[in-house]
């Protein structure tokens, strides 16, 4: 026998879960009317932090979901196919509704934090200073080389605002 496939609609999710848009917390609701979902976890957090993925996840009917997608759907309705949920501030644990926005994969990539030796996004230490560069849709843009890491970060921010608009993660915000 095939497992029942459920459509995670706004109404179904709101019947199963409580969502606090100010904190981003999802908790299980108490079930009534012979529901197939039990009451063991009523009032308890529905999502947990997945260390490997660095984000909040939860299970509904045996399938794993990102808590950000569940929260967004509960508040705004279904997410169109091909779009994902981006965390505006880059913190993938912060599922407050004010921090969640629909995005394409490319837009989401604009909002990734920097890594490596330099704490600023888009900045590399090079001989003679700090190089600022950015990428969009597979195309690399060389912004310039600067004597100060802060000058490079400011130049990156100016370019990122023009290139990525609302999806730009800024270094000096």
């Amino acid at each position: 026998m095939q497992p029942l496939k459920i459509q995670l609609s706004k109404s179904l999710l709101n019947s199963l879960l409580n969502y606090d848009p100010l904190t981003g917390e999802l908790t299980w609701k108490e079930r009534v009317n012979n529901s197939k979902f039990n009451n063991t976890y009523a009032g308890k957090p529905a999502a947990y932090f997945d260390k490997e993925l660095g984000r909040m996840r939860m299970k509904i009917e045996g399938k794993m979901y990102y808590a950000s997608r569940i929260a967004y759907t509960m508040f705004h309705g279904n997410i169109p196919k091909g779009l994902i949920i981006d965390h505006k501030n880059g913190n993938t644990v912060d599922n407050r509704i004010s921090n969640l926005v629909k995005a394409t994969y490319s837009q989401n990539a604009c909002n990734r934090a920097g890594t490596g030796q330099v704490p600023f996004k888009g900045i590399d230490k090079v001989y003679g200073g700090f190089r600022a560069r950015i990428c969009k849709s597979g195309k690399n843009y060389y912004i310039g080389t600067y004597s100060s890491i802060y000058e490079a970060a400011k130049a990156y921010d100016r370019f990122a605002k023009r290139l990525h608009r609302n999806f730009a993660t800024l270094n000096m915000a």
Side-chain angles (χ1 to χ4, degrees):
M1 182 177 186
Q2 286 282 54
L4 179 66
K5 289 187 179 182
I6 59 172
Q7 177 67 31
L8 292 184
S9 65
K10 181 177 180 176
S11 60
L12 174 65
L13 291 172
N14 280 296
S15 73
L16 297 174
L17 300 159
N18 289 310
Y19 172 61
D20 183 341
L22 299 177
T23 65
E25 185 177 23
L26 290 157
T27 55
W28 293 109
K29 280 186 177 178
E30 186 174 339
R31 313 297 186 266
V32 293
N33 300 335
N34 296 327
S35 172
K36 63 182 171 179
F37 299 99
N38 70 44
N39 284 317
T40 306
Y41 300 104
K44 295 182 181 168
Y48 72 94
F49 180 70
D50 185 320
K51 291 179 194 173
E52 193 173 308
L53 296 175
R55 51 192 319 144
M56 301 299 287
R57 292 183 11 143
M58 59 186 300
K59 188 182 280 193
I60 299 175
E61 278 293 284
K63 186 172 179 192
M64 295 302 294
Y65 297 94
Y66 290 130
S68 56
R69 288 186 71 84
I70 299 297
Y72 190 93
T73 300
M74 287 180 73
F75 201 82
H76 292 294
N78 290 337
I79 302 161
K81 190 173 181 139
L83 294 182
I84 58 176
I85 299 303
D86 184 34
H87 294 79
K88 292 178 190 176
N89 67 7
N91 179 354
T92 58
V93 178
D94 182 357
N95 290 317
R96 293 172 298 134
I97 201 63
S98 62
N99 190 43
L100 303 177
V101 64
K102 289 184 296 189
T104 65
Y105 286 97
S106 179
Q107 290 167 329
N108 180 254
C110 299
N111 198 12
R112 290 200 185 118
T115 58
Q117 299 175 317
V118 179
F120 295 114
K121 182 176 181 179
I123 310 301
D124 299 311
K125 177 128 178 66
V126 295
Y127 182 76
F130 297 89
R131 177 179 58 197
R133 60 184 174 163
I134 197 166
C135 179
K136 181 175 183 178
S137 302
K139 182 175 180 185
N140 288 308
Y141 297 89
Y142 171 75
I143 301 168
T145 301
Y146 303 86
S147 57
S148 155
I149 191 172
Y150 298 105
E151 289 176 84
K154 287 178 185 177
Y156 173 91
D157 287 352
R158 285 190 300 273
F159 201 90
K161 282 180 190 176
R162 284 195 333 244
L163 191 64
H164 299 311
R165 297 191 182 116
N166 294 337
F167 291 94
T169 300
L170 305 179
N171 290 312
M172 309 298 282

